[in-house]
């Protein structure tokens, strides 16, 4: 029996794997892409895309509610959640179909099944089995592992996928009922995005967070604006909560907590709080998918489930095998996985030789991150406190949406952009934004940072008026006290 031979086998077809497969084909490599579920992985099927499709419905409700302020009287509207879910499913289907077509167009072989590295080395190539409809073994000179992550299933939370759910359950194509009361454990990125969506859909949302703040990774002043909005929407956030138990009572869910400052061995005697709801979403982080990939056979090292990689090459402890994206335990973001796909492909193909590409080294200084609550959040680079703690001398400029003509016209006056630059050089080193279009605004800052621009480089670039992009112009000018639509004092000289 002949064995199919490839330059590169990629295990996992999410934004890391499918992207890497196309990139490798662009360089002329023969590629096998192995995926056991659907191309697009978490991002397209269970994460970024379906949530943003539901967010679009939620955002429309928000706008309809405000319509009277714009002189548009809408007397009656209803949420047809089943239809919103159907639309979300259709968006996912079309995008997944698009990826399939792209892989075909690049003549990549897509294998449906569970991929596992069963042996080999970087001189002779690796044997990779695909357990699925047709069990088969393929051979590849190099392998990239891009198996991603899945919701963390911590036993104490009793996730039963019936009333105690993960984000996968809530995004299931057949999840079509809006709960009256939704309890969300974990006020991180996923928790806050779902809190916003389901509140707009009419659920009473209660959130429980272990830390003293929601999305603790963001600038505190950004979190403050979001929390004010959550309060207006009636979202109940309880911080510093140690969840002791979660129980499906048959007719709902019941959670018992105590203050998270109480030591774990003293929780029995601690004062308890009870929270009840119809459904519970557990969003307390994600676990890396690194089991049953054959890592042990080849001595590939892991750390608490994360595949260890050489930070300069993304090669694992086995020469010729690379790992990218969530499974490496780095920044769990789709765009980071895709970026790492480029790096791993370049290094894998360079090590084979004969491809029009050379080695690449990852650079994580500029990684934009976005949160699709309403208002949206976007951030990149340093937070002010981190920069200061590192001993950097910084300037920060803030510009509010309410001072921008376009934002006022759109009725989008909540929020601000804060730009951070080095005091001496005026080079941009970070930005945080909450407000309409924040994720898009951050992209311009990211470009500036990537190319070492100063706030003046951006400020001297003509920005079209009236646009939300002027937030970036004014934000950069504000770092040196020169925003036009902001009061201030003459520059000292
Ligand atoms: P996360 O790490 O953002 O948030 C988890 C939250 O749960 C944290 O605030 C944590 O303190 C809290 N927590 C942990 N254990 C807890 C407990 N026992 N009781 C109460 N609270 C507890 O993780 P999340 O939201 O699950 O997201 C997973 C990954 O997916 C993240 O890396 C995130 O960046 C990524 N993601 C990115 C999105 C985007 O780019 N827009 C959207 C959704 C997820």
């Amino acid at each position: 029996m002949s064995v199919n031979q490839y330059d590169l086998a990629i295990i996992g077809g999410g934004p890391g794997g499918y992207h890497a497969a196309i990139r490798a084909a662009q360089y002329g490599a023969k590629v096998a892409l192995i995926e056991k579920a659907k191309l697009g992985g978490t991002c397209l099927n269970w994460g970024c895309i379906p949530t943003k499709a539901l967010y679009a419905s939620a955002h429309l409700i928000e706008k309809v509610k405000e319509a009277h302020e714009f002189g548009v009287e809408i007397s009656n509207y209803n949420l047809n959640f089943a239809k919103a879910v159907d639309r979300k499913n259709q968006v996912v289907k079309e995008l997944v179909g698009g990826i399939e077509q792209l892989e075909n167009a690049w003549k990549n072989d897509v294998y449906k099944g569970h991929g596992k590295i069963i042996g080999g080395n970087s001189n002779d190539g690796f044997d990779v089995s695909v357990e699925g409809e047709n069990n088969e073994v393929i051979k590849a000179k190099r392998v990239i592992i891009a198996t991603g992550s899945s919701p963390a299933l911590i036993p104490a939370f009793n996730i039963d996928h019936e009333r105690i759910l993960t984000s996968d359950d809530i995004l299931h194509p057949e999840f079509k009922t809006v709960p009256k009361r939704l309890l969300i454990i974990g006020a991180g990125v996923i928790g806050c995005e779902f809190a916003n969506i389901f509140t707009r859909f009419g659920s009473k949302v209660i959130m429980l967070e272990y830390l003293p703040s929601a999305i603790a990774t963001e600038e505190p002043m950004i979190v403050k604006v979001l929390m004010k909005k959550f309060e207006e929407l009636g979202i109940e956030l309880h911080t510093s909560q140690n969840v002791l138990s979660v129980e499906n009572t048959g007719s709902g869910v019941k959670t018992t907590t105590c203050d998270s400052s109480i030591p774990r061995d003293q929780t029995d005697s601690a004062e308890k709080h009870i929270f009840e709801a119809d459904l519970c979403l557990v969003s307390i982080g994600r676990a890396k998918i690194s089991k049953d990939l054959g890592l042990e056979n080849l001595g590939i090292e892991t750390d608490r489930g994360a595949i260890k990689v050489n930070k300069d090459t993304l090669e694992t402890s086995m020469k010729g095998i690379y790992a990218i994206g969530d499974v490496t335990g780095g920044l769990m973001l789709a765009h980071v996985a895709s970026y790492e796909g480029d790096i791993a492909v370049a290094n894998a193909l360079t090590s084979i030789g004969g491809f029009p590409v050379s080695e690449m080294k990852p650079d994580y200084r500029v990684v934009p991150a976005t949160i699709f609550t309403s208002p949206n959040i976007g951030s990149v680079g340093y937070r002010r406190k981190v920069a200061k703690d590192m001993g950097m001398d910084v300037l920060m400029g803030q510009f509010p949406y309410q001072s921008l003509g376009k934002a006022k016209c759109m009725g989008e006056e909540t929020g601000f952009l804060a730009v951070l630059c080095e005091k001496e050089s005026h080079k941009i080193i970070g930005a945080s934004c909450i407000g309409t279009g924040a994720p898009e605004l951050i992209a311009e800052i990211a470009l500036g940072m990537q190319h070492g621009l100063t706030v003046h480089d951006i400020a001297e670039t003509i920005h079209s008026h009236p646009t939300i992009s002027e937030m970036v112009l004014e934000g950069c000018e504000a770092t040196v006290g020169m925003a036009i639509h902001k009061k201030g004092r003459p520059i000292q000289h």
Side-chain angles (χ1 to χ4, degrees):
M1 197 180 83
S2 73
V3 173
N4 285 339
Q5 309 256 352
Y6 294 92
D7 294 310
L8 193 60
I10 299 170
I11 305 178
Y18 86 66
H19 177 111
I22 293 172
R23 185 67 81 226
Q26 289 170 338
Y27 292 127
K30 188 164 168 12
V31 180
L33 177 61
I34 306 164
E35 169 58 57
K36 63 174 159 197
K38 285 189 188 159
L39 288 186
T42 297
C43 174
L44 262 73
N45 296 286
W46 307 102
C48 326
I49 295 299
T51 43
K52 264 73 269 172
L54 288 182
Y55 169 85
S57 296
H59 190 58
L60 208 53
I61 293 177
E62 186 185 345
K63 285 284 146 201
V64 167
K65 279 190 174 161
E66 292 167 4
H68 65 278
E69 292 170 21
F70 294 75
V72 180
E73 301 296 343
I74 299 174
S75 51
N76 197 13
Y77 69 89
N78 282 309
L79 167 70
N80 181 340
F81 183 55
K83 201 160 176 182
V85 172
D86 287 342
R87 176 181 175 276
K88 177 254 304 175
N89 295 343
Q90 187 60 26
V91 168
V92 169
K93 193 174 155 198
E94 285 175 25
L95 288 173
V96 171
I99 301 299
E100 284 164 3
Q101 283 174 18
L102 282 170
E103 297 296 347
N104 283 338
W106 282 103
K107 305 210 172 354
N108 288 339
D109 287 343
V110 178
Y111 288 84
K112 204 164 168 32
H114 177 91
K116 183 172 178 173
I117 310 164
I118 51 177
N121 57 56
S122 62
N123 290 327
D124 308 327
F126 297 94
D127 299 312
V128 181
S129 66
V130 184
E131 296 154 25
E133 285 163 16
N134 318 309
N135 289 336
E136 47 198 322
V137 174
I138 61 170
K139 204 155 181 79
K141 292 178 188 158
R142 299 289 178 268
V143 179
I144 296 177
I145 302 171
T147 44
S149 64
S150 57
L153 297 176
I154 296 170
F157 290 93
N158 288 321
I159 293 168
D160 59 7
H161 308 287
E162 190 194 322
R163 284 191 182 275
I164 307 168
L165 313 174
T166 67
S167 54
D168 284 6
D169 299 316
I170 229 162
L171 290 172
H172 191 280
E174 292 307 318
F175 182 89
K176 292 192 173 174
T177 311
V178 176
K180 272 210 174 85
R181 292 169 307 162
L182 176 64
L183 186 72
I184 299 180
I185 302 179
V189 184
I190 295 182
C192 287
E193 288 193 358
F194 278 108
N196 174 65
I197 291 171
F198 278 92
T199 299
R200 311 271 180 190
F201 287 167
S203 298
K204 166 71 193 170
V205 174
I206 304 163
M207 305 182 82
L208 305 177
E209 166 59 47
Y210 187 85
L211 297 175
S213 163
I215 33 173
T217 46
E218 290 298 329
E219 278 282 5
M221 54 192 181
I222 294 270
V223 180
K224 205 169 149 192
V225 175
L226 184 66
M227 291 306 109
K228 187 162 173 271
K229 191 75 197 172
F230 273 15
E231 212 178 305
E232 279 167 30
L233 290 168
I235 296 171
E236 249 181 63
L237 169 68
H238 301 270
T239 51
S240 302
Q241 296 297 311
N242 181 4
V243 175
L244 301 170
S245 68
V246 190
E247 187 193 336
N248 177 345
T249 60
S251 58
V253 285
K254 187 176 157 189
T255 306
T256 308
T257 71
C258 71
D259 196 292
S260 59
S261 61
I262 293 166
R264 291 195 181 261
D265 57 353
Q266 290 169 30
T267 55
D268 282 352
S269 56
E271 188 192 344
K272 307 287 189 306
H273 312 285
I274 308 270
F275 299 93
E276 289 180 296
D278 301 295
L279 292 182
C280 173
L281 166 68
V282 180
S283 49
I284 54 165
R286 298 179 59 88
K288 297 100 201 161
I289 302 177
S290 59
K291 287 216 173 83
D292 202 23
L293 297 174
L295 306 183
E296 310 75 23
N297 310 336
L298 292 159
I300 295 176
E301 290 170 25
T302 57
D303 176 17
R304 283 165 291 163
I307 299 178
K308 284 195 191 173
V309 289
N310 175 324
K311 296 282 176 244
D312 288 338
T313 61
L314 303 184
E315 199 165 25
T316 65
S317 49
M318 176 73 190
K319 198 164 181 282
I321 298 182
Y322 299 77
I324 59 172
D326 287 8
V327 74
T328 65
L331 292 162
M332 288 193 167
L333 296 167
H335 43 283
V336 170
S338 302
Y339 170 74
E340 291 180 341
D342 286 348
I343 310 279
V345 164
N347 293 337
L349 298 187
T350 307
S351 73
I352 298 171
F355 295 96
V357 61
S358 40
E359 280 174 357
M360 281 173 77
K361 201 172 152 180
D363 172 2
Y364 299 103
R365 282 171 310 151
V366 185
V367 180
T370 51
I371 306 177
F372 292 88
T373 43
S374 187
N376 285 181
I377 294 172
S379 52
V380 62
Y382 288 107
R383 307 289 179 265
R384 182 165 56 169
K385 184 171 183 312
V386 176
K388 283 196 163 166
D389 288 351
M390 287 172 71
M392 297 168 90
D393 231 352
V394 298
L395 294 173
M396 192 168 92
Q398 258 199 57
F399 192 77
Y401 278 88
Q402 65 186 17
S403 299
L404 194 78
K406 180 65 185 288
K408 234 181 186 15
C409 296
M410 291 166 66
E412 295 282 0
E413 294 182 60
T414 307
F416 64 89
L417 166 70
V419 178
L420 209 59
C421 71
E422 280 174 352
K423 193 170 181 182
E424 190 77 15
S425 66
H426 291 181
K427 265 192 186 173
I428 307 168
I429 57 164
S432 294
C433 185
I434 181 162
T436 193
E440 274 74 19
L441 298 188
I442 287 302
E444 185 181 350
I445 304 270
L447 181 70
M449 285 176 63
Q450 185 73 28
H451 296 282
L453 300 190
T454 65
V455 289
H456 307 289
D457 293 321
I458 298 236
E460 286 161 13
T461 305
I462 299 175
H463 285 64
S464 179
H465 176 74
T467 60
I468 296 294
S469 74
E470 291 170 283
M471 286 293 293
V472 179
L473 173 74
E474 301 254 18
C476 285
E477 287 177 336
T479 56
V480 288
M482 293 198 66
I484 291 293
H485 297 94
K486 194 173 174 182
K487 290 177 194 156
R489 292 193 197 95
I491 295 167
Q492 304 298 310
H493 59 98

